[in-house]
Amino acid sequence: MFSLETRILIVDDMSTVRRIVSKILKELGYNRLEMAENGQEAWDILNRSSFDLVISDWNMPVLTGIELLKLCRADSKYAKVPFILLTAEAEAVQVSDAVKSGVSNYVIKPFTGDILKVKLQQTYKKTVESL
Amino acid sequence: MRYTKEVLGQVLIFSVNSSVSPEIAKEISDDINKEILENKKIEKVAIDLKNQYTIDSSVFRILSPVGVSLRKQSKLFYILNPTAQLSAFIKEMGLASLMKPIDSLQEINAETKAAPPANATVFDVNFINPFIQGVITTMKIQCDLECTPLKSTLKKQLDPSIQVDIAGLIGITSKTFTGSVSICFPEKTFLSAMSTMMGEEFLEVTSELQEGAAEFINVIFGQAKKVLNEQGHTIEKALPSVIHGKNVDVKHTTAKFVILIPFASAAGPFYLEIGTGDKS
């Protein structure tokens, strides 16, 4: 599992979702959390500082989660940083887009803390295996 | 030779002689496009892994667009005789509707293409049920709230028996249906649901809390959209909005009819509204 020192950026235009994700992560022991309201704000934060994991909503105004993912994958600093998409869109075409763009994992809404925990474990395993 | 290919009836089959590397996937992908162009009889395409070879997870980035392209041409794509582990992976990643894992050529031959959906009407239960199921699932998972749909009716304007103080609304646009869907709550029900979801007690609907109504309808819409688009509808993405006030009337501006589905729950009543501008 990711170390408790992992720096995590949570991106969602809905403050309620940011709070839910943050609460779940804090319950798991993660406290190095930052939040962004959309992909553009997240990208600015990512460029100002460093993160070990990004958890982002898909469907957001200004810059979507998939656009943020593509920016990350094209940037040497974040090309291999684990990136989890949160999405209410569970269609195969969307999943295909995400896989093609290099997503590490995705969480389909609605989700519970247990689901997010399992996805974090899976993502960590994949990340370690790909090193 | 890394793979062989043959056409059996309407099925184009690629039989691999090793696990599928990115290079092999690219070759097969190009070959599929070429064969489809040359042979108009091909309706289905399969990659036969003979129960022993596998597909590297990175290869799905190459094969997924093939599945999307075939689906756009109303053709079906299969992973034939996959290992149990690969079959589970494809299903877990949600890729099964693009490249269905299947255990025999007979099963492929037996599969028929889904007929395109007829235009939906407001009373089409096949259209409405995914939204109802979306409500039940969302409220159960996000708010630990069991809810029961009650008898649907056509919405009457200003029905005094129905109180709505906050609602999440989202537009529906597709080739078969135009309208909107909303989830509508009395304040007490909404506060109770949000308190459970957020793990803290709320006594008033703050501006931050209002977003919860948008998130509810967003998630319900996402689930229904998946089911309906798998049936052949082409519902597009949309962003939700919130209506908040004392006893508000949610306007479905493009709708000729609004169907109202009340729900009973331990947190109190709430309502799903589906408005349609369907010309039929």
Side-chain angles (χ1 to χ4, degrees), chain B residues 55-75:
Chain B
I55 297 176
D56 186 83
S57 59
S58 64
V59 170
F60 285 99
R61 291 183 196 184
I62 298 165
L63 293 182
S64 296
V66 177
V68 173
S69 167
L70 288 169
R71 194 158 83 168
K72 281 182 183 163
Q73 299 170 69
S74 300
K75 298 183 193 302

Side-chain angles (χ1 to χ4, degrees), chain B residues 99-139:
Chain B
M99 54 188 91
K100 185 176 178 181
I102 202 156
D103 292 328
S104 73
L105 184 57
Q106 287 75 16
E107 283 181 62
I108 293 178
N109 285 325
E111 288 223 333
T112 52
K113 282 197 285 183
N119 278 358
T121 71
V122 71
F123 296 112
D124 185 345
V125 290
N126 292 324
F127 195 87
I128 290 169
N129 282 346
F131 288 98
I132 295 176
Q133 191 53 51
V135 171
I136 294 169
T137 306
T138 301
M139 300 314 279

Side-chain angles (χ1 to χ4, degrees), chain B residues 265-279:
Chain B
S265 79
F270 64 94
Y271 311 91
L272 177 71
E273 295 182 356
I274 302 175
T276 176
D278 180 20
K279 302 291 184 287

Side-chain angles (χ1 to χ4, degrees), chain B residues 73-93:
Chain B
Q73 299 170 69
S74 300
K75 298 183 193 302
L76 302 169
F77 189 30
Y78 300 94
I79 302 299
L80 178 59
N81 298 316
T83 61
Q85 194 181 10
L86 180 65
S87 180
F89 177 80
I90 291 171
K91 287 172 188 165
E92 187 202 329
M93 289 299 285

Side-chain angles (χ1 to χ4, degrees), chain A residues 15 19 58 89 91-92 106, chain B residues 93 200 208 211 225 237:
Chain A
S15 62
R19 278 176 67 170
W58 185 311
E89 311 269 344
E91 290 165 54
Y106 61 92
Chain B
M93 289 299 285
E200 55 188 290
E208 187 193 6
E211 288 183 2
K225 179 170 167 278
K237 278 186 179 184

Side-chain angles (χ1 to χ4, degrees), chain B residues 24-42:
Chain B
I24 295 174
K26 180 74 176 60
E27 272 181 48
I28 289 177
S29 165
D30 293 343
D31 235 351
I32 289 172
N33 292 333
K34 186 168 156 269
E35 291 288 339
I36 295 273
L37 271 178
E38 287 175 1
N39 188 343
K40 302 291 179 203
K41 286 184 182 168
I42 295 170

Side-chain angles (χ1 to χ4, degrees), chain B residues 169-186:
Chain B
L169 175 74
I170 200 163
I172 309 173
T173 311
S174 82
K175 284 178 188 163
T176 56
F177 188 95
T178 304
S180 47
V181 59
S182 63
I183 183 97
C184 310
F185 301 91

